[in-house]
């Protein structure tokens, strides 16, 4: 029993002189004796009863306890949604207006503290978690006892992606207070969106990778939903790796299969955009991007060695050491002019499959290498022309020239001369020399930073070669030079394909470790992958990557280039970024970013794309304001949902615990009345002297009544 007044409260407490069991036994015995006296109608039985009650009260030893209490202020938490969907239309202004009105109204409550938590703003580098208001709410509630919570208010568009999925009782227990929602949008909103339903992460180079998209209009127009309505279509525009646009018509509301051509290794970026619909909240979800990493199944290489020589085994060993290379190797052991009377039965029974290799299956190879091959009539001129067409259509060709390249037997005098970057002079140098990187070669990704190359002006640390075919360069880029600064390694682009020419057959000396050897394996690996159009080995290119909250832009160029680049942010704003030269042909620049989405970088000649965060965030999957996601939690806690598109708020009331917390156009904040005890005092209700005198008086009264 409690009686409160002001800052104090009173309770009756007991400090029994005997155990409660003993007191109960004595009370039972007294009850039997008094009952027997009452049955016999003995005189003074009521006075005896009074004496018994008095003695029991003395044994119970009651006292009056006074508690001094200090009331605690209630706490109201307001969670403000700052997710990207809140930037649509006037939602931000409506949210801030509602927050201001609510703050002013609750500021008049003297026993209420207000906490404002802003949440939902995405950070670069974070995952695709959507709007997580309840996570922020849990952190804000971590130091607030549930008995002090007056209410929770969320100002949002309703697109919340971490709503608890527990049963209503658990939700109510976890929150511990009414949850009210102020929706910043309108109930009749409509929007068109583009959905990438299925998209692979990897695809084989040279193949097409399927994906599925769908265009939806929300809500579905009544005319389109009626039976027999004509199928509606929308124009879809797509770009591959920032290239030119392509347009197709796609049906609305139905899955549409598409395919991505994977034409190079590394990231292949497909950008999709659908035209605006009849109702639009934002065009952000009319766009989508898909990144598919191109991987090669196997690098199929055809190696044709014109005659046995010391370097033949080196080429074979280097190519076979790479598990991603599928090598087909033929060596011409017996040219047509060799007539030495060898019996037919002692010759190889396997004929050189010229037609199969250079006509039927030529396009199946990723790289063709001619090693010291010369014009001897083994491969007909028509098949040589097939190799030229193969390169022009996008193939890769490498020639490692031997001494015959400087003679009338040179492959330059065949149709291959059309694609070879050099023309032989007819001379062959056989003096010792160390291959050197040219100035351009120090900037080219194939040869820059080769181990042992040394600094500009210094001699390389690798071993010497002893043969070089002299030639004049008429096309391509000279990246290595040899004896007397004659061209040694030349790279060129022909049509859609690429050609490399090495004017020496002495690379095997490096592999044998002569004079310390050299980086033949690394050079050939880079050379092969440049010929295969590996993006990381492009000599003139622009690249962009996102690391945390920074955009890093790298330009690779053969010529010094100090032009700044233009950076276009996901919201369409642009800025410039200066690049600083580093090593080789690279220059880099770094820019801090604060937005999620696709960044576009351009220097006027090249374009690069970089994605901050998810390409197709769940935040924009549906941007319509909705009460549906938060309705279960609101109902479980007894709160209310109110539309506040114009920034107005419903009436605010303070309600007692256990009363309804929401109604028509009003929301309640609970009055908990919580407190802390700052002190107490205890006063006995039966002081010893008073109890003794009262007991004696009752006994005397009982004796006198019975004595009459």
């Amino acid at each position: 029993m409690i009686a409160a007044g002001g800052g104090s409260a009173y309770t009756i407490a007991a400090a029994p002189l005997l155990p409660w069991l003993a007191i109960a036994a004595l009370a039972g015995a007294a009850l039997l004796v008094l009952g027997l006296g009452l049955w016999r109608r003995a005189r003074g039985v009521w006075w005896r009863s009074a004496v018994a009650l008095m003695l029991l009260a003395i044994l119970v030893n009651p006292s009056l306890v006074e508690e001094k209490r200090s009331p605690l202020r209630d706490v109201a938490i307001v969670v403000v949604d700052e997710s990207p969907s809140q930037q649509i239309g006037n939602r931000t202004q409506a949210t801030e207006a509602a927050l201001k009105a609510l703050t002013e109204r609750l500021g008049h409550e003297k026993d209420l503290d207000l906490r404002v938590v802003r949440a939902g703003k995405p950070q670069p580098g974070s995952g695709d978690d959507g709007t997580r208001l309840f996570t922020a709410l849990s952190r804000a509630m971590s130091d607030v006892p549930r008995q002090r919570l007056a209410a929770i208010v969320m100002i949002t568009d309703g697109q919340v992606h971490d709503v608890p999925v527990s049963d209503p009782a658990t939700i109510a227990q976890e929150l511990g207070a009414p949850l009210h929602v102020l929706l910043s949008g309108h109930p009749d909103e409509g929007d068109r969106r583009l959905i990438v339903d299925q998209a692979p992460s990897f695809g084989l180079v040279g193949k097409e990778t399927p994906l599925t998209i769908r265009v939806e209009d929300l809500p579905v127009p009544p005319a389109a939903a009626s039976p027999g309505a004509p199928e509606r279509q929308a124009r879809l525009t797509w770009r591959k790796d920032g290239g030119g646009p392509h347009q197709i018509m796609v049906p609305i509301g139905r899955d549409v299969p598409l395919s991505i051509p994977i034409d190079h290794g590394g990231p292949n970026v497909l950008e999709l955009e659908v035209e605006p619909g009849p109702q639009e909240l934002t065009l952000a979800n009319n766009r989508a991007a898909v990144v598919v990493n191109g991987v090669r199944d196997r690098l199929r290489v055809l190696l044709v060695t014109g005659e046995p020589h010391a370097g033949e085994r080196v080429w074979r060993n280097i190519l076979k050491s790479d598990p991603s290379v599928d090598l087909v190797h033929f060596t011409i052991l017996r040219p047509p002019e060799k007539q030495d009377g060898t019996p037919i039965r002692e010759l190889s029974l396997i004929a050189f499959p010229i037609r199969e290799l250079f006509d039927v299956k030529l396009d199946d190879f990723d790289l063709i290498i001619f090693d010291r091959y010369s014009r001897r009539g083994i491969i007909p001129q028509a098949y040589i022309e097939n190799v030229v067409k193969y390169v022009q259509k996008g193939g890769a060709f490498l020639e490692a020239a031997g001494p015959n390249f400087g003679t009338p037997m040179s492959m330059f005098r065949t149709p291959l001369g059309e694609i070879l970057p050099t023309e032989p002079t007819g001379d062959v140098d056989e003096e010792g020399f160390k291959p050197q990187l040219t100035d351009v070669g120090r900037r080219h990704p194939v040869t820059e930073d080769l181990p042992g190359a040394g600094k500009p002006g210094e001699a390389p640390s690798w071993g010497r070669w002893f043969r070089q075919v002299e030639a004049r360069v008429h096309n391509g880029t000279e990246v290595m030079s040899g004896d007397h600064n004659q061209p040694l390694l030349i790279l060129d682009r022909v049509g859609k394909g690429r050609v490399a020419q090495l004017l020496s057959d002495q690379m095997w000396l490096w592999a044998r470790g002569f004079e310390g050897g050299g980086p033949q394996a690394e050079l050939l690996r880079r050379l092969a992958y440049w010929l295969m159009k590996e993006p990381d080995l492009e000599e003139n290119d622009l690249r962009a990557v996102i690391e945390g909250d920074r955009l890093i832009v790298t330009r690779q160029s053969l010529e010094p280039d100090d032009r700044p680049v233009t950076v276009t942010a996901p919201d369409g704003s642009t800025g410039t970024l200066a690049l600083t030269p580093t090593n080789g042909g690279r220059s880099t620049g770094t820019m801090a970013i604060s937005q999620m989405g696709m960044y576009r970088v351009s220097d006027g000649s090249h374009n690069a794309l970089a994605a901050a965060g998810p390409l197709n965030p769940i935040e924009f999957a549906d941007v319509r304001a909705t009460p549906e996601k938060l309705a279960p939690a609101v109902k479980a806690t007894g709160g209310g949902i109110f539309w506040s598109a114009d920034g107005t708020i419903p009436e605010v009331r303070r309600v007692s615990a256990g009363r309804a917390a929401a109604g028509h156009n009003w929301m309640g904040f609970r009055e908990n009345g919580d407190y802390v005890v700052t002190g107490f005092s205890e006063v006995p209700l039966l002081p010893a002297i008073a109890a003794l005198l009262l007991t004696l008086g009752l006994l005397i009264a009982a004796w006198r009544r019975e004595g009459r």
Side-chain angles (χ1 to χ4, degrees):
M1 180 178 180
I2 301 176
S8 299
Y10 300 90
T11 58
I12 302 296
L17 302 178
L18 295 177
W20 283 108
L21 187 60
I23 295 175
L26 292 175
L31 185 62
L32 289 175
V33 172
L34 293 174
L36 181 61
L38 186 62
W39 180 68
R40 291 184 174 183
R41 296 184 179 181
R43 295 180 179 179
V45 66
W46 298 109
W47 290 104
R48 292 177 181 271
S49 299
V51 172
L53 291 174
M54 190 62 196
L55 291 174
L56 289 174
I58 292 174
L59 293 176
V60 171
N61 191 24
S63 59
L64 180 66
V65 178
E66 178 188 7
E67 291 183 350
K68 295 182 179 180
R69 298 177 176 179
S70 175
L72 295 177
R73 296 167 63 88
D74 291 333
V75 178
I77 299 178
V78 178
V79 182
V80 181
D81 184 357
E82 292 187 332
S83 61
S85 62
Q86 280 283 80
Q87 312 301 318
I88 295 173
N90 66 339
R91 291 181 183 179
T92 300
Q93 293 81 354
T95 297
E96 294 300 327
L99 176 62
K100 180 179 179 181
L102 186 62
T103 303
E104 291 178 353
R105 170 61 183 83
L106 296 180
H108 295 92
E109 299 291 335
K110 297 182 179 180
D111 60 343
L112 185 67
D113 289 332
L114 179 64
R115 291 189 180 183
V116 177
V117 179
R118 296 182 179 270
K121 181 178 292 186
Q123 298 296 326
S126 62
D128 188 14
D129 297 330
T131 303
R132 306 187 64 82
L133 300 188
F134 283 88
T135 303
L137 175 62
S138 297
R139 291 195 294 265
M141 294 171 54
S142 60
D143 62 339
V144 180
R146 296 299 185 268
Q147 63 270 21
R148 290 183 58 195
L149 274 178
I152 302 166
V153 181
M154 288 186 175
I155 309 178
T156 176
D157 56 11
Q159 293 294 344
V160 182
H161 304 98
D162 63 343
V163 180
V165 294
S166 309
D167 60 275
T170 303
I171 295 176
Q173 182 178 3
E174 290 177 352
L175 296 182
L179 172 62
H180 304 298
V181 175
L182 301 181
L183 294 173
S184 57
H186 297 275
D188 56 350
E189 294 174 337
D191 189 48
R192 171 174 286 179
R193 63 179 179 176
L194 173 63
I195 301 173
V196 179
D197 198 26
Q198 296 179 1
S201 300
F202 299 91
L204 295 178
V205 175
K207 305 292 184 179
E208 291 191 350
T209 298
L211 72 155
T212 303
I213 67 165
R214 187 169 65 256
V215 178
E216 291 184 347
D217 283 344
L218 302 174
V220 178
S226 60
E231 186 176 60
R232 297 176 303 125
Q233 292 188 328
R235 181 178 293 102
L236 179 73
T237 303
W238 64 273
R239 292 178 175 85
K240 174 72 165 51
D241 293 327
H246 304 270
Q247 293 184 342
I248 57 174
M249 298 300 294
V250 297
I252 296 176
R254 187 158 58 86
D255 289 347
V256 179
L258 297 177
S259 61
I260 305 176
I262 308 300
D263 50 16
H264 61 80
N268 290 255
V269 182
L270 181 68
E271 298 177 87
L272 305 164
E273 183 174 359
V274 67
E275 64 181 340
Q279 288 182 290
E280 284 290 2
L281 288 172
T282 177
L283 295 178
N285 58 358
N286 289 39
R287 299 186 294 268
V290 178
V291 176
V292 179
N293 284 307
V295 296
R296 299 187 183 277
D297 182 18
R298 298 277 288 180
L299 179 61
R300 295 176 292 274
V301 178
L302 172 61
L303 172 61
V304 179
T305 302
E307 58 183 309
H309 68 104
E312 174 188 4
R313 179 62 59 180
V314 173
W315 282 99
R316 180 180 179 86
N317 290 343
I318 291 176
L319 292 170
K320 293 294 286 185
S321 66
D322 191 337
S324 64
V325 172
D326 189 3
L327 177 65
V328 176
H329 183 199
F330 286 94
T331 301
I332 309 301
L333 300 175
R334 185 181 179 86
E337 69 272 11
K338 185 175 183 181
Q339 301 293 334
D340 56 5
T342 303
I344 297 297
R345 65 178 180 273
E346 296 182 13
L347 296 177
S348 172
L349 298 180
I350 302 176
F352 187 16
I354 300 174
R355 179 178 178 275
E356 184 178 6
L357 292 177
F358 292 95
D359 186 12
V360 179
K361 295 186 176 181
L362 183 64
D363 291 337
D364 292 342
F365 291 102
D366 299 301
L367 173 62
I368 297 175
I369 302 176
F370 278 9
D371 173 31
R372 284 190 61 164
Y373 186 81
S374 57
R375 185 167 62 95
R376 289 183 173 179
I378 297 177
I379 302 178
Q381 181 166 316
Y383 292 159
I384 298 294
E385 292 177 354
N386 287 346
V387 175
V388 174
K389 295 176 182 178
Y390 158 83
V391 173
Q392 292 173 338
K393 291 188 298 183
F397 179 77
L398 168 63
E399 184 192 25
N404 286 337
F405 185 71
T407 69
M409 307 294 291
S410 172
M411 293 303 294
F412 181 78
R413 301 180 182 274
T414 70
L416 277 179
E418 183 181 345
I419 63 173
L420 292 177
T422 66
E423 178 182 356
T425 64
D427 295 330
V428 178
D429 293 335
E430 295 189 347
E431 298 178 2
F433 68 93
K434 286 189 176 184
Q436 304 241 4
L437 300 185
T438 64
D439 292 339
V440 175
R442 293 186 180 276
R443 301 181 64 91
H444 201 291
V446 171
T447 49
E448 70 172 345
D449 299 329
L450 271 180
K455 297 180 180 180
E458 296 181 358
S461 62
W462 49 54
R464 292 177 295 166
W465 295 358
F466 292 90
R467 183 183 292 127
Q468 180 179 0
V469 181
E470 291 189 6
R472 291 186 294 270
V473 178
H474 56 80
N475 283 314
T477 303
E478 178 187 348
V479 296
M480 295 185 73
S481 61
D483 193 19
H484 305 298
N485 290 323
Q486 289 291 319
L488 180 62
L489 177 60
I490 304 92
L491 309 178
D492 192 18
R493 297 170 183 257
V494 178
K496 296 181 179 179
R498 300 186 180 187
V499 175
Q501 190 173 26
L502 180 64
L503 296 172
S504 176
D505 59 352
Q506 299 278 294
M507 185 181 288
W508 63 272
L509 291 171
W510 279 359
R512 297 283 181 86
F514 177 74
E515 294 184 348
Q520 79 287 344
E522 177 66 13
L523 176 59
L524 180 58
R525 184 192 68 80
R526 295 188 194 179
L527 188 58
Y529 282 102
W530 177 84
L531 289 167
M532 299 311 305
K533 304 174 184 178
E534 181 68 29
D536 289 342
L537 291 170
E538 291 295 305
E539 63 271 30
N540 291 296
D541 196 20
L542 190 66
R543 304 157 199 164
V545 296
I546 301 291
E547 293 185 1
D549 59 352
R550 298 182 304 155
L551 170 67
I552 301 177
V553 179
T554 303
R555 177 165 52 211
Q556 176 75 47
S557 60
L558 295 182
E559 299 292 337
D561 189 350
D562 57 358
R563 291 176 299 164
V565 297
T566 301
V567 180
T568 304
D571 63 357
S573 60
T574 61
T576 58
L577 176 63
L579 304 184
T580 302
T582 55
N583 60 318
R586 291 187 295 272
S587 53
T588 63
T590 302
M591 172 184 289
I593 61 173
S594 59
Q595 301 179 33
M596 305 280 281
M598 188 74 74
Y599 284 81
R600 291 168 171 81
V601 184
S602 175
D603 63 358
S605 303
H606 302 89
N607 300 305
L609 304 174
L615 291 176
N616 309 301
I618 189 177
E619 176 69 25
F620 286 103
D622 190 353
V623 295
R624 297 173 299 161
T626 175
E628 296 178 1
K629 293 185 177 181
L630 292 170
V634 171
K635 182 178 179 181
T637 60
I641 299 178
F642 311 93
W643 292 93
S644 182
D646 57 355
T648 60
I649 63 172
E651 179 186 353
V652 175
R653 300 179 185 177
R654 298 302 302 275
V655 296
S656 302
R659 299 285 298 275
H664 178 66
N665 203 33
W666 69 271
M667 56 182 177
F669 288 71
R670 197 171 56 194
E671 290 182 333
N672 296 296
D674 197 22
Y675 61 88
V676 292
V677 177
T678 59
F680 72 95
S681 60
E682 186 175 1
V683 179
L685 293 178
L686 292 175
I689 299 299
L692 179 60
L693 293 177
L694 184 57
T695 303
L696 290 175
L698 291 174
L699 287 173
I700 292 173
W703 175 74
R704 290 192 60 187
R705 179 68 182 84
E706 293 176 356
R708 290 182 180 179

